[in-house]
């Protein structure tokens, strides 16, 4: 982002570190509220059938309203028609560039999208030409999150189709300085992050004890004999709090799955690559389902209905997890 010529009041010097001192920067950031982020922006392409088809295929959305001669675009595509693509935006306002330049200059150089809100005013149809105006709606006070310390910036975009109001898109991001945890891990010589530890409490301690013994245990209600997983303090069928366990055979099939591509996390891959890797909802032959990794087959070969077999993966000296090895027969 170029430029740091943000509106200035009395010169108070640079803001102190993100974890100390008064939030003097916030007053300067608040001056940007209500200023334009983009004016008379134009979508790079009209609403079109190809992009609708790609979106629906990616989302697995088979609604017949999104295909055929009278097709409309899925409402949640509202933002997609305004995006700049790999070449970026050319219609950002000077105020928007100055705001982000000010945040970057103060050390809040990382960014993550946090949430959005959309309002739909009319359907979008192939051939509609998209224009939009955007405003910097709000800048929060300095906040500390697990990611780090920074400011939430909310923009509101009013979208028009062939000149008619089509919807409103509010988009919120966090501009932040990353937490120091990574530097602390490096200082300890922990170059390879460990997998997150499971939360073990009195309700699931028996499950993890079984894992330590290479047994996958399923709860069984003492009243109605309903099997349940994950572990719960009471039966979700009859409410009885008495239960025992049965040991799963380890056989199952993939019910559904996702592939994790990003961010790469070395602890989640045996070869240290960090991904991509498949996370699946496994349907055990006993009739319950559980979430785990599928190993032993390429991530892009995992399919619903694929037979899998339980095994136990030691991820580090202190942690062992149940995973499922995929197969074709």
């Amino acid at each position: 982002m170029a430029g740091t010529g943000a509106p200035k009041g009395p010169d108070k010097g640079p803001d102190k570190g993100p974890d100390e001192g008064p939030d003097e920067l916030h007053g300067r950031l608040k001056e940007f509220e209500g200023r334009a982020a983009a004016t008379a922006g134009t979508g790079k392409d009209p609403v079109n059938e190809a992009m609708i088809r790609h979106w629906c295929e990616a989302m697995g959305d088979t609604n017949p309203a999104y295909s055929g001669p009278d097709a409309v675009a899925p409402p949640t595509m509202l933002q997609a028609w305004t995006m700049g693509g790999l070449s970026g935006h050319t219609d950002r306002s000077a105020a928007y560039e100055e705001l982000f330049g000010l945040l970057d200059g103060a050390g809040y150089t990382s960014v993550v999208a946090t949430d959005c809100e959309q309002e739909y005013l009319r359907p979008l149809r192939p051939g509609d030409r998209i224009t939009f105006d955007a405003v910097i709606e709000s800048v929060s006070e300095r906040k500390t999150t697990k990611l780090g310390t920074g400011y939430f910036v909310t923009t509101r975009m009013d979208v028009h189709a062939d000149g008619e109001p089509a919807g409103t898109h509010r988009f919120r991001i966090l501009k932040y300085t990353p937490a120091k945890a990574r530097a602390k891990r490096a200082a300890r010589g922990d170059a390879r992050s460990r997998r997150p530890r499971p939360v073990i409490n009195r309700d699931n301690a028996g499950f993890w004890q079984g894992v330590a013994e290479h047994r996958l245990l399923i709860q069984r209600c003492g009243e109605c004999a309903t099997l349940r997983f994950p572990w719960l303090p009471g039966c979700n069928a009859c409410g009885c709090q008495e239960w025992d366990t049965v040991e799963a055979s380890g056989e199952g099939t993939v019910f559904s799955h996702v592939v994790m591509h990003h961010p790469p996390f070395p602890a989640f891959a045996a070869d240290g690559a960090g991904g991509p890797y498949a996370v699946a909802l496994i349907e055990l032959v006993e009739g319950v389902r559980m979430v785990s990794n599928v190993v032993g087959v390429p991530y892009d070969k995992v399919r619903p209905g694929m037979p899998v077999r339980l095994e136990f993966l030691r991820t580090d000296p202190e942690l062992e997890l149940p995973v499922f090895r995929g197969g074709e027969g």
Side-chain angles (χ1 to χ4, degrees):
M1 302 286 180
T4 56
K8 295 182 180 179
D11 186 3
K12 299 179 181 179
D15 188 48
K16 293 186 178 182
D19 298 320
E20 60 178 311
D23 189 4
E24 296 178 349
L25 179 61
H26 185 241
R28 299 171 67 186
L29 300 176
K30 290 283 288 184
E31 295 182 37
F32 287 90
E33 293 184 346
R35 299 181 66 181
T39 303
T42 303
K44 290 191 171 182
D45 298 285
V47 178
N48 62 84
E49 295 176 359
M51 198 164 174
I52 293 172
R53 185 180 71 254
H54 294 323
W55 175 281
C56 290
E57 288 178 357
M59 297 298 178
D61 194 335
T62 58
N63 191 318
Y66 306 146
S67 61
D70 299 319
V72 298
T76 50
M77 288 187 74
L78 183 68
Q79 184 194 21
W81 309 111
T82 70
M83 298 178 75
L86 293 177
S87 58
H89 286 281
T90 59
D91 44 27
R92 299 289 197 194
S93 71
Y96 187 91
E97 300 287 358
E98 290 168 4
L99 170 62
F100 279 76
L102 182 60
L103 287 163
D104 289 339
Y108 302 97
T109 55
S110 296
V111 62
V112 63
T114 60
D115 58 282
C116 72
E117 302 172 10
Q118 294 183 335
E119 179 183 7
Y120 311 117
L121 302 179
R122 86 151 174 85
L124 297 179
R125 299 178 175 85
D128 283 342
R129 288 282 176 177
I130 301 301
T131 57
F132 56 90
D133 300 290
V135 65
I136 302 165
E137 191 167 70
S138 65
V139 183
S140 75
E141 297 179 351
R142 189 175 62 203
K143 303 288 186 180
T144 298
T145 72
K146 288 185 177 181
L147 287 176
T149 300
Y151 297 85
F152 290 93
V153 180
T154 304
T155 55
R156 188 191 75 243
M157 178 181 293
D158 297 312
V159 181
H160 294 77
D162 291 337
E164 299 179 0
T168 300
H169 175 78
R170 280 184 173 84
F171 192 60
R172 186 173 294 110
I173 64 170
L174 174 65
K175 282 284 285 179
Y176 67 101
T177 299
K180 299 176 181 178
R182 185 176 303 173
K184 290 180 179 178
R185 286 196 299 268
R188 292 197 304 264
D190 188 8
R192 180 187 173 95
S193 299
R194 301 189 308 167
R195 284 206 189 194
R197 307 290 96 174
V199 176
I200 301 176
N201 53 42
R202 65 181 182 180
D203 292 328
N204 66 12
F207 169 77
W208 290 107
Q209 180 59 42
V211 170
E213 300 168 356
H214 287 191
R215 303 167 66 217
L216 183 62
L217 299 179
I218 304 170
Q219 282 182 306
R220 178 173 57 190
C221 176
E223 180 69 26
C224 67
T226 297
L227 300 181
R228 63 179 185 262
F229 194 92
W231 282 35
L232 296 170
C235 178
N236 50 10
C238 71
C240 176
Q241 296 186 354
E242 300 296 326
W243 54 269
D244 60 6
T245 63
V246 296
E247 183 175 353
S249 68
E251 302 289 346
T253 56
V254 173
F255 183 81
S256 64
H257 76 287
V258 296
V259 175
M260 303 300 297
H261 291 270
H262 187 79
F265 192 19
F268 279 84
D271 60 2
Y277 54 91
V279 180
L281 181 62
I282 305 297
E283 185 162 61
L284 300 176
V285 295
E286 288 77 14
V288 299
R289 298 171 185 165
M290 67 177 291
V291 175
S292 184
N293 288 101
V294 177
V295 301
V297 293
Y299 67 88
D300 56 353
K301 300 300 182 183
V302 177
R303 295 288 185 271
M306 172 182 283
V308 292
R309 175 72 185 176
L310 174 70
E311 60 182 53
F312 293 88
L313 173 68
R314 181 165 294 282
T315 64
D316 60 59
E318 300 175 2
L319 182 63
E320 199 164 14
L321 296 171
V323 298
F324 288 86
R325 181 166 294 274
E328 296 297 341

